[in-house]
PDB file of all heavy atoms in Angstrom:
ATOM      1  N   PRO A   1     117.714 110.148 109.910  1.00 92.00           N
ATOM      2  CA  PRO A   1     118.435 110.908 110.937  1.00 92.00           C
ATOM      3  C   PRO A   1     118.769 112.320 110.479  1.00 92.00           C
ATOM      4  O   PRO A   1     119.287 112.516 109.376  1.00 92.00           O
ATOM      5  CB  PRO A   1     119.701 110.086 111.150  1.00 92.00           C
ATOM      6  CG  PRO A   1     119.327 108.706 110.748  1.00 92.00           C
ATOM      7  CD  PRO A   1     118.352 108.863 109.615  1.00 92.00           C
ATOM      8  N   GLY A   2     118.432 113.300 111.297  1.00 95.00           N
ATOM      9  CA  GLY A   2     118.739 114.673 110.978  1.00 95.00           C
ATOM     10  C   GLY A   2     117.826 115.320 109.955  1.00 95.00           C
ATOM     11  O   GLY A   2     118.064 116.461 109.545  1.00 95.00           O
ATOM     12  N   LYS A   3     116.793 114.614 109.540  1.00 97.00           N
ATOM     13  CA  LYS A   3     115.871 115.157 108.529  1.00 97.00           C
ATOM     14  C   LYS A   3     114.444 115.191 109.062  1.00 97.00           C
ATOM     15  O   LYS A   3     114.115 114.527 110.037  1.00 97.00           O
ATOM     16  CB  LYS A   3     115.931 114.319 107.253  1.00 97.00           C
ATOM     17  CG  LYS A   3     117.270 114.356 106.545  1.00 97.00           C
ATOM     18  CD  LYS A   3     117.201 113.652 105.205  1.00 97.00           C
ATOM     19  CE  LYS A   3     118.524 113.751 104.460  1.00 97.00           C
ATOM     20  NZ  LYS A   3     118.460 113.086 103.135  1.00 97.00           N
ATOM     21  N   GLN A   4     113.617 115.971 108.379  1.00 97.00           N
ATOM     22  CA  GLN A   4     112.215 116.043 108.755  1.00 97.00           C
ATOM     23  C   GLN A   4     111.459 114.817 108.255  1.00 97.00           C
ATOM     24  O   GLN A   4     111.868 114.168 107.288  1.00 97.00           O
ATOM     25  CB  GLN A   4     111.589 117.312 108.170  1.00 97.00           C
ATOM     26  CG  GLN A   4     112.072 118.597 108.816  1.00 97.00           C
ATOM     27  CD  GLN A   4     111.307 119.814 108.329  1.00 97.00           C
ATOM     28  OE1 GLN A   4     110.795 119.831 107.204  1.00 97.00           O
ATOM     29  NE2 GLN A   4     111.204 120.819 109.171  1.00 97.00           N
ATOM     30  N   ARG A   5     110.365 114.539 108.911  1.00 97.00           N
ATOM     31  CA  ARG A   5     109.508 113.448 108.470  1.00 97.00           C
ATOM     32  C   ARG A   5     108.914 113.816 107.108  1.00 97.00           C
ATOM     33  O   ARG A   5     108.488 114.959 106.897  1.00 97.00           O
ATOM     34  CB  ARG A   5     108.382 113.201 109.480  1.00 97.00           C
ATOM     35  CG  ARG A   5     107.601 111.932 109.255  1.00 97.00           C
ATOM     36  CD  ARG A   5     106.649 111.664 110.408  1.00 97.00           C
ATOM     37  NE  ARG A   5     107.372 111.449 111.665  1.00 97.00           N
ATOM     38  CZ  ARG A   5     106.763 111.040 112.782  1.00 97.00           C
ATOM     39  NH1 ARG A   5     105.456 110.821 112.802  1.00 97.00           N
ATOM     40  NH2 ARG A   5     107.479 110.888 113.890  1.00 97.00           N
ATOM     41  N   GLU A   6     108.897 112.846 106.184  1.00 98.00           N
ATOM     42  CA  GLU A   6     108.400 113.110 104.844  1.00 98.00           C
ATOM     43  C   GLU A   6     107.407 112.049 104.413  1.00 98.00           C
ATOM     44  O   GLU A   6     107.438 110.911 104.867  1.00 98.00           O
ATOM     45  CB  GLU A   6     109.563 113.135 103.835  1.00 98.00           C
ATOM     46  CG  GLU A   6     110.304 111.830 103.697  1.00 98.00           C
ATOM     47  CD  GLU A   6     111.381 111.878 102.620  1.00 98.00           C
ATOM     48  OE1 GLU A   6     111.580 112.928 101.997  1.00 98.00           O
ATOM     49  OE2 GLU A   6     112.008 110.824 102.390  1.00 98.00           O
ATOM     50  N   LEU A   7     106.536 112.451 103.521  1.00 97.00           N
ATOM     51  CA  LEU A   7     105.538 111.542 102.973  1.00 97.00           C
ATOM     52  C   LEU A   7     106.214 110.514 102.071  1.00 97.00           C
ATOM     53  O   LEU A   7     107.112 110.842 101.291  1.00 97.00           O
ATOM     54  CB  LEU A   7     104.512 112.344 102.167  1.00 97.00           C
ATOM     55  CG  LEU A   7     103.367 111.603 101.475  1.00 97.00           C
ATOM     56  CD1 LEU A   7     102.155 112.523 101.387  1.00 97.00           C
ATOM     57  CD2 LEU A   7     103.756 111.143 100.082  1.00 97.00           C
ATOM     58  N   VAL A   8     105.787 109.262 102.210  1.00 98.00           N
ATOM     59  CA  VAL A   8     106.260 108.202 101.314  1.00 98.00           C
ATOM     60  C   VAL A   8     105.130 107.817 100.351  1.00 98.00           C
ATOM     61  O   VAL A   8     105.297 107.851  99.137  1.00 98.00           O
ATOM     62  CB  VAL A   8     106.719 106.969 102.108  1.00 98.00           C
ATOM     63  CG1 VAL A   8     107.115 105.844 101.148  1.00 98.00           C
ATOM     64  CG2 VAL A   8     107.882 107.322 103.021  1.00 98.00           C
ATOM     65  N   ALA A   9     103.992 107.443 100.908  1.00 98.00           N
ATOM     66  CA  ALA A   9     102.850 107.041 100.097  1.00 98.00           C
ATOM     67  C   ALA A   9     101.582 107.152 100.937  1.00 98.00           C
ATOM     68  O   ALA A   9     101.593 106.753 102.099  1.00 98.00           O
ATOM     69  CB  ALA A   9     103.016 105.611  99.587  1.00 98.00           C
ATOM     70  N   VAL A  10     100.527 107.707 100.345  1.00 96.00           N
ATOM     71  CA  VAL A  10      99.281 107.866 101.090  1.00 96.00           C
ATOM     72  C   VAL A  10      98.079 107.585 100.202  1.00 96.00           C
ATOM     73  O   VAL A  10      98.137 107.765  98.977  1.00 96.00           O
ATOM     74  CB  VAL A  10      99.136 109.289 101.680  1.00 96.00           C
ATOM     75  CG1 VAL A  10     100.185 109.544 102.734  1.00 96.00           C
ATOM     76  CG2 VAL A  10      99.168 110.341 100.595  1.00 96.00           C
ATOM     77  N   PHE A  11      97.007 107.161 100.847  1.00 92.00           N
ATOM     78  CA  PHE A  11      95.712 107.077 100.194  1.00 92.00           C
ATOM     79  C   PHE A  11      95.032 108.428 100.384  1.00 92.00           C
ATOM     80  O   PHE A  11      94.964 108.934 101.492  1.00 92.00           O
ATOM     81  CB  PHE A  11      94.847 105.990 100.838  1.00 92.00           C
ATOM     82  CG  PHE A  11      95.339 104.601 100.606  1.00 92.00           C
ATOM     83  CD1 PHE A  11      96.017 103.917 101.603  1.00 92.00           C
ATOM     84  CD2 PHE A  11      95.136 103.964  99.391  1.00 92.00           C
ATOM     85  CE1 PHE A  11      96.472 102.631 101.403  1.00 92.00           C
ATOM     86  CE2 PHE A  11      95.590 102.673  99.171  1.00 92.00           C
ATOM     87  CZ  PHE A  11      96.265 102.003 100.188  1.00 92.00           C
ATOM     88  N   PRO A  12      94.491 109.012  99.338  1.00 83.00           N
ATOM     89  CA  PRO A  12      93.795 110.284  99.511  1.00 83.00           C
ATOM     90  C   PRO A  12      92.516 110.096 100.310  1.00 83.00           C
ATOM     91  O   PRO A  12      91.792 109.130 100.105  1.00 83.00           O
ATOM     92  CB  PRO A  12      93.499 110.712  98.070  1.00 83.00           C
ATOM     93  CG  PRO A  12      93.501 109.452  97.285  1.00 83.00           C
ATOM     94  CD  PRO A  12      94.500 108.547  97.949  1.00 83.00           C
ATOM     95  N   GLY A  13      92.226 111.002 101.222  1.00 72.00           N
ATOM     96  CA  GLY A  13      91.064 110.861 102.086  1.00 72.00           C
ATOM     97  C   GLY A  13      89.749 110.932 101.344  1.00 72.00           C
ATOM     98  O   GLY A  13      88.781 110.302 101.735  1.00 72.00           O
ATOM     99  N   GLY A  14      89.712 111.661 100.254  1.00 71.00           N
ATOM    100  CA  GLY A  14      88.469 111.819  99.521  1.00 71.00           C
ATOM    101  C   GLY A  14      88.340 110.929  98.309  1.00 71.00           C
ATOM    102  O   GLY A  14      87.474 111.154  97.452  1.00 71.00           O
ATOM    103  N   GLY A  15      89.150 109.898  98.220  1.00 69.00           N
ATOM    104  CA  GLY A  15      89.128 109.027  97.053  1.00 69.00           C
ATOM    105  C   GLY A  15      90.130 109.468  96.013  1.00 69.00           C
ATOM    106  O   GLY A  15      90.784 110.484  96.158  1.00 69.00           O
ATOM    107  N   GLY A  16      90.253 108.733  94.933  1.00 74.00           N
ATOM    108  CA  GLY A  16      91.225 109.058  93.912  1.00 74.00           C
ATOM    109  C   GLY A  16      92.432 108.154  94.005  1.00 74.00           C
ATOM    110  O   GLY A  16      92.440 107.193  94.758  1.00 74.00           O
ATOM    111  N   SER A  17      93.446 108.469  93.242  1.00 83.00           N
ATOM    112  CA  SER A  17      94.619 107.608  93.179  1.00 83.00           C
ATOM    113  C   SER A  17      95.554 107.892  94.352  1.00 83.00           C
ATOM    114  O   SER A  17      95.533 108.975  94.942  1.00 83.00           O
ATOM    115  CB  SER A  17      95.358 107.806  91.861  1.00 83.00           C
ATOM    116  OG  SER A  17      95.752 109.149  91.724  1.00 83.00           O
ATOM    117  N   THR A  18      96.378 106.910  94.669  1.00 90.00           N
ATOM    118  CA  THR A  18      97.342 107.071  95.750  1.00 90.00           C
ATOM    119  C   THR A  18      98.436 108.048  95.344  1.00 90.00           C
ATOM    120  O   THR A  18      98.697 108.261  94.157  1.00 90.00           O
ATOM    121  CB  THR A  18      97.964 105.721  96.117  1.00 90.00           C
ATOM    122  OG1 THR A  18      98.508 105.132  94.923  1.00 90.00           O
ATOM    123  CG2 THR A  18      96.920 104.786  96.685  1.00 90.00           C
ATOM    124  N   ASN A  19      99.068 108.643  96.336  1.00 94.00           N
ATOM    125  CA  ASN A  19     100.152 109.589  96.099  1.00 94.00           C
ATOM    126  C   ASN A  19     101.465 109.002  96.600  1.00 94.00           C
ATOM    127  O   ASN A  19     101.524 108.472  97.711  1.00 94.00           O
ATOM    128  CB  ASN A  19      99.871 110.905  96.823  1.00 94.00           C
ATOM    129  CG  ASN A  19      98.645 111.612  96.282  1.00 94.00           C
ATOM    130  OD1 ASN A  19      98.395 111.598  95.088  1.00 94.00           O
ATOM    131  ND2 ASN A  19      97.871 112.231  97.156  1.00 94.00           N
ATOM    132  N   TYR A  20     102.487 109.122  95.806  1.00 97.00           N
ATOM    133  CA  TYR A  20     103.810 108.630  96.168  1.00 97.00           C
ATOM    134  C   TYR A  20     104.823 109.771  96.107  1.00 97.00           C
ATOM    135  O   TYR A  20     104.721 110.654  95.247  1.00 97.00           O
ATOM    136  CB  TYR A  20     104.282 107.535  95.206  1.00 97.00           C
ATOM    137  CG  TYR A  20     103.514 106.231  95.299  1.00 97.00           C
ATOM    138  CD1 TYR A  20     102.394 106.008  94.514  1.00 97.00           C
ATOM    139  CD2 TYR A  20     103.929 105.235  96.173  1.00 97.00           C
ATOM    140  CE1 TYR A  20     101.701 104.808  94.593  1.00 97.00           C
ATOM    141  CE2 TYR A  20     103.247 104.031  96.259  1.00 97.00           C
ATOM    142  CZ  TYR A  20     102.136 103.826  95.466  1.00 97.00           C
ATOM    143  OH  TYR A  20     101.449 102.635  95.544  1.00 97.00           O
ATOM    144  N   ALA A  21     105.809 109.695  96.982  1.00 97.00           N
ATOM    145  CA  ALA A  21     106.948 110.594  96.859  1.00 97.00           C
ATOM    146  C   ALA A  21     107.675 110.279  95.562  1.00 97.00           C
ATOM    147  O   ALA A  21     107.758 109.108  95.151  1.00 97.00           O
ATOM    148  CB  ALA A  21     107.894 110.417  98.042  1.00 97.00           C
ATOM    149  N   TYR A  22     108.201 111.298  94.932  1.00 97.00           N
ATOM    150  CA  TYR A  22     108.876 111.094  93.637  1.00 97.00           C
ATOM    151  C   TYR A  22     110.009 110.075  93.773  1.00 97.00           C
ATOM    152  O   TYR A  22     110.222 109.256  92.875  1.00 97.00           O
ATOM    153  CB  TYR A  22     109.415 112.428  93.142  1.00 97.00           C
ATOM    154  CG  TYR A  22     110.146 112.317  91.828  1.00 97.00           C
ATOM    155  CD1 TYR A  22     109.438 112.269  90.627  1.00 97.00           C
ATOM    156  CD2 TYR A  22     111.544 112.250  91.785  1.00 97.00           C
ATOM    157  CE1 TYR A  22     110.102 112.157  89.419  1.00 97.00           C
ATOM    158  CE2 TYR A  22     112.209 112.138  90.581  1.00 97.00           C
ATOM    159  CZ  TYR A  22     111.489 112.091  89.404  1.00 97.00           C
ATOM    160  OH  TYR A  22     112.150 111.979  88.206  1.00 97.00           O
ATOM    161  N   SER A  23     110.686 110.110  94.903  1.00 97.00           N
ATOM    162  CA  SER A  23     111.868 109.258  95.083  1.00 97.00           C
ATOM    163  C   SER A  23     111.530 107.769  95.189  1.00 97.00           C
ATOM    164  O   SER A  23     112.420 106.933  95.042  1.00 97.00           O
ATOM    165  CB  SER A  23     112.639 109.691  96.331  1.00 97.00           C
ATOM    166  OG  SER A  23     111.817 109.573  97.485  1.00 97.00           O
ATOM    167  N   VAL A  24     110.271 107.438  95.430  1.00 98.00           N
ATOM    168  CA  VAL A  24     109.917 106.023  95.593  1.00 98.00           C
ATOM    169  C   VAL A  24     108.995 105.512  94.487  1.00 98.00           C
ATOM    170  O   VAL A  24     108.689 104.316  94.442  1.00 98.00           O
ATOM    171  CB  VAL A  24     109.264 105.757  96.970  1.00 98.00           C
ATOM    172  CG1 VAL A  24     110.134 106.298  98.099  1.00 98.00           C
ATOM    173  CG2 VAL A  24     107.853 106.329  97.043  1.00 98.00           C
ATOM    174  N   LYS A  25     108.552 106.384  93.612  1.00 97.00           N
ATOM    175  CA  LYS A  25     107.645 105.967  92.536  1.00 97.00           C
ATOM    176  C   LYS A  25     108.278 104.867  91.702  1.00 97.00           C
ATOM    177  O   LYS A  25     109.439 104.957  91.312  1.00 97.00           O
ATOM    178  CB  LYS A  25     107.292 107.154  91.642  1.00 97.00           C
ATOM    179  CG  LYS A  25     106.179 108.023  92.179  1.00 97.00           C
ATOM    180  CD  LYS A  25     105.808 109.106  91.187  1.00 97.00           C
ATOM    181  CE  LYS A  25     104.656 109.937  91.696  1.00 97.00           C
ATOM    182  NZ  LYS A  25     104.276 111.024  90.753  1.00 97.00           N
ATOM    183  N   GLY A  26     107.487 103.837  91.434  1.00 97.00           N
ATOM    184  CA  GLY A  26     107.966 102.718  90.641  1.00 97.00           C
ATOM    185  C   GLY A  26     108.703 101.666  91.445  1.00 97.00           C
ATOM    186  O   GLY A  26     108.969 100.570  90.943  1.00 97.00           O
ATOM    187  N   ARG A  27     109.041 101.984  92.713  1.00 98.00           N
ATOM    188  CA  ARG A  27     109.744 101.027  93.566  1.00 98.00           C
ATOM    189  C   ARG A  27     108.892 100.577  94.744  1.00 98.00           C
ATOM    190  O   ARG A  27     108.987  99.428  95.185  1.00 98.00           O
ATOM    191  CB  ARG A  27     111.043 101.640  94.099  1.00 98.00           C
ATOM    192  CG  ARG A  27     112.021 102.064  93.035  1.00 98.00           C
ATOM    193  CD  ARG A  27     113.359 102.486  93.635  1.00 98.00           C
ATOM    194  NE  ARG A  27     113.235 103.643  94.516  1.00 98.00           N
ATOM    195  CZ  ARG A  27     113.625 103.641  95.795  1.00 98.00           C
ATOM    196  NH1 ARG A  27     114.147 102.553  96.332  1.00 98.00           N
ATOM    197  NH2 ARG A  27     113.483 104.735  96.518  1.00 98.00           N
ATOM    198  N   PHE A  28     108.083 101.480  95.285  1.00 98.00           N
ATOM    199  CA  PHE A  28     107.248 101.187  96.448  1.00 98.00           C
ATOM    200  C   PHE A  28     105.787 101.100  96.022  1.00 98.00           C
ATOM    201  O   PHE A  28     105.340 101.827  95.136  1.00 98.00           O
ATOM    202  CB  PHE A  28     107.368 102.283  97.499  1.00 98.00           C
ATOM    203  CG  PHE A  28     108.707 102.368  98.195  1.00 98.00           C
ATOM    204  CD1 PHE A  28     109.814 101.655  97.736  1.00 98.00           C
ATOM    205  CD2 PHE A  28     108.854 103.177  99.302  1.00 98.00           C
ATOM    206  CE1 PHE A  28     111.038 101.741  98.368  1.00 98.00           C
ATOM    207  CE2 PHE A  28     110.077 103.282  99.954  1.00 98.00           C
ATOM    208  CZ  PHE A  28     111.166 102.564  99.485  1.00 98.00           C
ATOM    209  N   THR A  29     105.042 100.233  96.705  1.00 98.00           N
ATOM    210  CA  THR A  29     103.611 100.103  96.451  1.00 98.00           C
ATOM    211  C   THR A  29     102.860 100.044  97.771  1.00 98.00           C
ATOM    212  O   THR A  29     103.163  99.207  98.617  1.00 98.00           O
ATOM    213  CB  THR A  29     103.301  98.845  95.637  1.00 98.00           C
ATOM    214  OG1 THR A  29     104.025  98.868  94.406  1.00 98.00           O
ATOM    215  CG2 THR A  29     101.807  98.768  95.321  1.00 98.00           C
ATOM    216  N   ILE A  30     101.891 100.936  97.925  1.00 97.00           N
ATOM    217  CA  ILE A  30     101.048 100.940  99.119  1.00 97.00           C
ATOM    218  C   ILE A  30      99.775 100.166  98.819  1.00 97.00           C
ATOM    219  O   ILE A  30      99.246 100.221  97.703  1.00 97.00           O
ATOM    220  CB  ILE A  30     100.726 102.392  99.557  1.00 97.00           C
ATOM    221  CG1 ILE A  30     100.042 102.411 100.917  1.00 97.00           C
ATOM    222  CG2 ILE A  30      99.895 103.111  98.507  1.00 97.00           C
ATOM    223  CD1 ILE A  30      99.860 103.827 101.473  1.00 97.00           C
ATOM    224  N   SER A  31      99.307  99.419  99.806  1.00 95.00           N
ATOM    225  CA  SER A  31      98.063  98.681  99.638  1.00 95.00           C
ATOM    226  C   SER A  31      97.373  98.565 100.990  1.00 95.00           C
ATOM    227  O   SER A  31      97.965  98.842 102.035  1.00 95.00           O
ATOM    228  CB  SER A  31      98.321  97.291  99.042  1.00 95.00           C
ATOM    229  OG  SER A  31      99.137  96.528  99.901  1.00 95.00           O
ATOM    230  N   ARG A  32      96.116  98.172 100.943  1.00 94.00           N
ATOM    231  CA  ARG A  32      95.353  98.086 102.194  1.00 94.00           C
ATOM    232  C   ARG A  32      94.394  96.919 102.108  1.00 94.00           C
ATOM    233  O   ARG A  32      93.716  96.729 101.101  1.00 94.00           O
ATOM    234  CB  ARG A  32      94.603  99.411 102.420  1.00 94.00           C
ATOM    235  CG  ARG A  32      93.987  99.598 103.775  1.00 94.00           C
ATOM    236  CD  ARG A  32      93.631 101.064 104.016  1.00 94.00           C
ATOM    237  NE  ARG A  32      92.804 101.632 102.987  1.00 94.00           N
ATOM    238  CZ  ARG A  32      92.536 102.939 102.874  1.00 94.00           C
ATOM    239  NH1 ARG A  32      93.061 103.792 103.734  1.00 94.00           N
ATOM    240  NH2 ARG A  32      91.763 103.381 101.907  1.00 94.00           N
TER     241      ARG A  32
END
């Protein structure tokens, strides 16, 4: 609420490792 939308975790479109927001690293895991 009251904040802009921010990235949490994404798969890079061109391959490579996933990207995480610093605030969630080590706590959140994205998978597909």
Side-chain angles (χ1 to χ4, degrees):
K3 295 187 177 181
Q4 290 187 332
R5 191 172 297 188
E6 63 176 2
L7 179 151
V8 176
V10 294
F11 292 102
S17 59
T18 54
N19 295 322
Y20 291 90
Y22 179 81
S23 60
V24 307
K25 278 185 178 179
R27 300 188 298 123
F28 291 11
T29 303
I30 189 173
S31 61
R32 191 164 54 191

